[in-house]
Amino acid sequence: MVITPVFVEFVPDVLQEGTLYISMIYATVVHKCCCGCGNEVVTPLSPADWQLIYDGRTISLYPSIGSWSLPCKSHYWITHNQIRWASQWSSAEIEAGQAADSQAKSNYIDCLKPRPDVLASPSVLSPIPLSPVPMAAASPPTPANPTQAGWFGRIMRRLFG
Ligand SMILES: [Zn+2]
């Protein structure tokens, strides 16, 4: 069984069977449940939801699509436009999966929040102090009397001495 990906801006009101509507702008993928029950399956794309892989020809969605809230409780993978049916989960497995999902989601939301511990840390906000530069290196030693010392003194003496 094959599903055809269609890239759209807005998901149409009436969905065709066997079509996967992909809205990149809204980071959402919508299709009609592959079991034929006619229900819409919405799979938002995010690090905590589904990931879409488009190889230029076919799409894959990860992880699998488990329509636990639908009466059909369909569970399948979409890989390279192919529908691969997976085993139906028991209600215990569904609960465990949903708990893992909500944990992934809250982790993802946490990482979007500004980290107060980082912001409060003075080393982040205050400028990094420059390492002290030795004075000798910063300013070359100046002779007390430039006309009598070093190369300048030698030139002066040769010219005027
Ligand atoms: Zn279904």
Side-chain angles (χ1 to χ4, degrees), residues 32-39 41 67 70-74 76 85:
K32 273 197 169 183
C33 181
C34 293
C35 84
C37 68
N39 284 296
V41 178
S67 300
L70 298 181
C72 64
K73 294 199 171 20
S74 292
Y76 47 87
W85 290 90

